[in-house]
Amino acid sequence: MKKGKAGVRYVLRSAAAKVAAGAVGALALIPGLLLRTGAAAVGGLLRLLRLAPRTGTKWGIYFTRWSLHLAKKVHTRLMAKAKKRWEADTRPDVLTDFDEPGHTRPLTTADEFGTDYFGGNLVSVFQTETEAVRDAYATYDPPMMLAVAAEYWGLPEGVTSVAEAVRQLAVNTADKYPADAKMADQVAAVYALLHQAAQKAAEVGPLFAKVHENDLRRFEEPRPGEHMWNILERRQDGGFDQRQPSRFVAVAQDVAHVYSRYEPGHMNQVAAEYEGIPAGIENIGAAISLLQVRSNDRYPVDKAVVDAITDVHQVLMQAASAAQELMPSFRRLHAPDIARHEAPRNGEESEAMWDV
């Protein structure tokens, strides 16, 4: 549906480009004909005087060629814009088209049991906080390349903040929650992959600085009149530097801060956290995927930087895939405990006689 609508718009823009080019060519032809007529008259006079035989005929024809060159130039430019719009219309929207939780993964506990199951009516704090990261980053538009550079350099700190929340869940599972020790090991395995993603992310900033050394030097060590090399006009403030902290770091730090203070009061809240970890990691992956797409399509950066961000995203998706096993393992390892809540014997009040 999306590509079909984009195709229709492309055809309409192509037709409009041809009409506009024809109209411009026709308008340019009128003064061209007048100038060619004048050139022919001057050439005829010079021939009578035997000063320049056929001069008017030889160079007067260029006046009428103006219209052809101008029409071709207009058509080429409009078609380029039409193609660019078509590519923009058919490009996936990272905010809305990325693989959301449940869209590509296997059936989840919610798919199997609905929402009326242990922890099913609760929303993971981790998932909620990472959704805020995804949404905030999707609306961020860096004003210049130094701001983009801040995002590249901030990737490891942002991913580490998210990983810290998962590490805290692993520690609490081992030390505070009445959970099987295998659960702590599985959460720790997810954290290990997130830590690996953070290590990959730490390579992006130095790589960017290396391949764009000359570009960055214009800001860090500007020569007198450096702005004369600018593609567009110099900024109104006359400055060269607009350094600012990474937006990704700013929003991702909240995940670790909130989670460090979170104290679940019941195991159904802990269960919701196990189930929400995959979706939360995917939310972070969506933000990094957006940076990758923009780096590839909009930002003037080397493709090696794009590839490095892609590597970070791939490791994050491995972590999300590993996290898919948390909730199934939790249910399997704690089946008797969960059964007391989902299928209480002789009702909840009777089952509560076993409460500690």
Side-chain angles (χ1 to χ4, degrees):
M1 179 68 72
K2 184 175 182 179
K3 288 188 176 180
K5 292 181 178 179
V8 171
R9 288 194 289 267
Y10 178 75
V11 171
L12 293 176
R13 292 189 185 108
S14 300
K18 291 177 175 57
V19 172
V24 170
L27 290 175
L29 183 61
I30 297 174
L33 289 172
L34 294 175
L35 290 172
R36 182 175 179 177
T37 301
V42 172
L45 178 60
L46 293 176
R47 284 198 303 273
L48 289 175
L49 298 175
R50 296 182 179 181
L51 295 177
R54 295 184 292 176
T55 300
T57 303
K58 185 175 181 180
W59 57 269
I61 193 173
Y62 290 107
F63 292 123
T64 53
R65 289 180 180 175
W66 283 355
S67 61
L68 296 176
H69 291 309
L70 187 58
K72 184 177 180 180
K73 187 173 182 179
V74 170
H75 183 263
T76 300
R77 180 171 295 184
L78 291 178
M79 286 301 296
K81 289 184 178 180
K83 184 178 180 180
K84 187 175 181 179
R85 289 293 300 275
W86 181 83
E87 292 175 348
D89 290 342
T90 56
R91 183 182 304 127
D93 187 332
V94 178
L95 179 60
T96 58
D97 293 350
F98 70 95
D99 294 333
E100 294 180 295
H103 286 198
T104 58
R105 66 169 72 124
L107 292 178
T108 63
T109 306
D111 298 319
E112 187 176 357
F113 297 98
T115 56
D116 188 18
Y117 64 95
F118 190 69
N121 60 339
L122 301 174
V123 179
S124 162
V125 172
F126 181 77
Q127 182 177 343
T128 301
E129 291 299 316
T130 54
E131 283 176 355
V133 174
R134 182 196 71 192
D135 295 344
Y137 201 70
T139 58
Y140 176 54
D141 188 14
M144 63 179 303
M145 279 308 298
L146 289 181
V148 176
E151 298 307 311
Y152 296 147
W153 285 103
L155 277 177
E157 184 177 350
V159 175
T160 297
S161 294
V162 175
E164 176 60 24
V166 177
R167 189 195 69 83
Q168 189 65 50
L169 179 61
V171 171
N172 291 343
T173 299
D175 299 340
K176 296 173 63 174
Y177 304 152
D180 192 286
K182 293 179 181 178
M183 282 302 303
D185 293 339
Q186 283 192 262
V187 179
V190 175
Y191 165 74
L193 286 169
L194 290 174
H195 180 66
Q196 183 180 340
Q199 290 179 318
K200 281 284 186 183
E203 300 174 3
V204 177
L207 176 63
F208 171 78
K210 180 180 179 181
V211 297
H212 292 281
E213 179 181 1
N214 291 331
D215 296 309
L216 292 169
R217 187 180 295 119
R218 296 187 59 234
F219 292 92
E220 296 167 352
E221 302 174 7
R223 297 161 291 189
E226 186 66 59
H227 65 278
M228 295 173 68
W229 279 109
N230 288 355
I231 299 296
L232 302 178
E233 294 182 3
R234 188 177 186 178
R235 295 197 307 277
Q236 292 182 353
D237 62 5
F240 296 97
D241 200 334
Q242 286 188 0
R243 294 189 182 277
Q244 57 190 72
S246 163
R247 176 64 61 88
F248 180 67
V249 171
V251 294
Q253 283 177 338
D254 290 340
V255 179
H257 292 164
V258 170
Y259 217 76
S260 65
R261 299 191 299 270
Y262 179 52
E263 294 287 346
H266 197 277
M267 282 304 291
N268 62 351
Q269 295 173 313
V270 177
E273 293 308 310
Y274 294 145
E275 188 170 23
I277 293 297
I281 296 175
E282 288 178 0
N283 287 331
I284 300 302
I288 292 180
S289 179
L290 176 61
L291 179 61
Q292 185 268 340
V293 169
R294 288 178 174 176
S295 297
N296 186 63
D297 298 345
R298 290 174 51 185
Y299 303 150
V301 297
D302 192 278
K303 295 305 179 184
V305 177
V306 178
D307 293 339
I309 300 173
T310 302
D311 291 341
V312 177
H313 183 264
Q314 288 177 347
V315 179
L316 281 174
M317 292 303 97
Q318 292 175 16
S321 178
Q324 300 286 356
E325 301 300 321
L326 293 179
M327 190 59 179
S329 294
F330 176 76
R331 292 190 64 87
R332 183 177 64 254
L333 294 171
H334 304 88
D337 297 309
I338 295 173
R340 295 183 60 241
H341 292 266
E342 295 181 343
R345 293 162 289 189
N346 291 326
E348 291 183 352
E349 291 186 2
S350 297
E351 189 65 67
M353 295 176 68
W354 282 108
D355 285 354
V356 175

